Amino acid sequence: MRFTYAETMTDPANYIPLAQAAETAGYTSMVIADSVAYPRDSDSTYPYTPDGSREFLDDKPFIEAFVLSAALAAATTTLRFTPFVLKLPIRPPVLVAKQAASVAALSGNRFGLGVGISPWPEDFEIMDVPFQKRGARMDECIDIVRGLTAGGYFEFQGKFYDIPPIKITPVPTEPIPILIGGHSEPALRRAAQRGDGWMHAGGDDLDRLLARLGELRTEYGTREDFEVHVISMDGFTVDGVKRLEDKGVTDVIVGFRLPYTREADTEPLDRKIANLERFAETVIAKSGN
């Protein structure tokens, strides 16, 4: 089992010392939150809060995901970084490919690309991208990013993008894992069909989602080294980690603060570091990793 540290919407000055502390403590990776802008007016709901409230995001600091990943990679030597998740279809896929390849090349292949579809029409509107057919657009974006980051000339003709033969340089020496986030049937199918892994955002229905993902992986003949990243209370005990391993989970995402609150994060940095170190001592060190 690999362990991923999660901290978001905190003072940006905390990120580098937290990443360095997580690396020293034995974590494999750190997830990076993504948000482009916060709309003042919106009827949209947030899918991962019980009441659909989105107000907890107002005035919270988000460093751009590729910028933060590069900064943290420069301050560490072994820790991996994965956006959790990048709102891919609102962005130009060629630019995403260039950004992802650059971070992966500079970091020595320590970058994975977690991607998903924004639940907010406003994200599409402000980026001048149609909200309709966003799933099909997402599929083309994934194919373009994978093709361009593999190296060599790549061309693409689809319903949304028509790209002549181009290449980007540099590209990393290893493929960038593309991990698909989301709990819906289309998201699970997309992960099994196009992804190198799946990212789970928490909740009580993990067993159902894993079972369905397993069915879809069988249907599409998913690669054996498919990654399964989950948030689960089982991830906080040694016995629970073993249960997750038995279910095919490869990576546990753990955080030590509830981010879905309207209040600003006032937890001191030294307490954050103590929390991640305590988990490393009581769970990571005793889980055979």
Side-chain angles (χ1 to χ4, degrees), residues 46-53 260:
Y46 189 75
Y48 302 114
T49 54
D51 60 357
S53 172
Y260 300 136

Side-chain angles (χ1 to χ4, degrees), residues 27-266:
Y27 293 78
T28 301
S29 60
M30 184 171 177
V31 287
I32 307 297
D34 176 49
S35 179
V36 174
Y38 183 83
R40 185 189 65 184
D41 303 311
S42 175
D43 295 328
S44 303
T45 59
Y46 189 75
Y48 302 114
T49 54
D51 60 357
S53 172
R54 67 183 184 91
E55 283 72 19
F56 72 93
L57 292 164
D58 194 7
D59 284 332
K60 297 297 175 63
F62 284 88
I63 302 298
E64 198 281 325
F66 289 107
V67 172
L68 182 55
S69 296
L72 298 183
T76 55
T77 57
T78 62
L79 201 66
R80 295 182 57 83
F81 301 95
T82 305
F84 184 38
V85 287
L86 190 82
K87 299 171 181 178
L88 179 57
I90 71 171
R91 292 169 161 85
V94 174
L95 179 59
V96 171
K98 181 64 176 179
Q99 292 169 311
S102 296
V103 175
L106 282 172
S107 65
N109 304 306
R110 291 188 289 127
F111 184 73
L113 187 60
V115 297
I117 298 178
S118 172
W120 292 1
E122 293 82 5
D123 277 333
F124 289 82
E125 180 181 356
I126 63 176
M127 298 299 287
D128 198 24
V129 176
F131 189 61
Q132 295 75 21
K133 299 183 179 179
R134 56 197 177 278
R137 183 182 295 274
M138 169 83 158
D139 291 341
E140 290 193 10
C141 288
I142 292 170
D143 293 345
I144 292 166
V145 171
R146 176 171 282 116
L148 283 172
T149 57
Y153 284 99
F154 175 81
E155 62 181 309
F156 186 88
Q157 288 81 43
K159 293 181 179 179
F160 306 99
Y161 302 99
D162 190 348
I163 300 171
I166 59 172
K167 67 179 175 180
I168 58 176
T169 306
V171 295
T173 57
E174 298 175 3
I176 298 174
I178 298 180
L179 313 174
I180 314 298
H183 294 184
S184 68
E185 174 70 13
L188 295 173
R189 186 173 295 276
R190 183 173 294 113
Q193 184 179 22
R194 278 185 164 80
D196 300 304
W198 173 64
M199 301 191 82
H200 166 252
D204 297 331
D205 57 350
L206 176 59
D207 286 347
R208 179 188 66 80
L209 294 170
L210 288 174
R212 181 57 181 150
L213 181 64
E215 294 171 352
L216 292 168
R217 289 181 60 191
T218 298
E219 177 181 342
Y220 288 106
T222 302
R223 51 192 292 176
E224 289 296 322
D225 57 351
F226 189 87
E227 299 181 15
V228 179
H229 298 234
V230 309
I231 297 173
S232 170
M233 291 305 296
D234 267 348
F236 289 86
T237 66
V238 175
D239 289 343
V241 168
K242 180 60 169 61
R243 287 192 292 270
L244 291 173
E245 282 184 318
D246 291 343
K247 296 174 183 178
V249 172
T250 61
D251 297 74
V252 172
I253 303 169
V254 295
F256 310 103
R257 177 179 64 87
L258 180 66
Y260 300 136
T261 61
R262 296 200 64 173
E263 294 76 20
D265 176 25
T266 58

Side-chain angles (χ1 to χ4, degrees), residues 1-5 25-27 232-238 241 252-256 272-287:
M1 182 70 73
R2 297 183 295 251
F3 294 88
T4 297
Y5 175 59
Y27 293 78
S232 170
M233 291 305 296
D234 267 348
F236 289 86
T237 66
V238 175
V241 168
V252 172
I253 303 169
V254 295
F256 310 103
K272 292 180 183 297
I273 292 175
N275 288 338
L276 72 84
E277 289 177 338
R278 186 178 305 110
F279 176 85
E281 293 168 0
T282 58
V283 177
I284 296 179
K286 299 179 180 179
S287 296

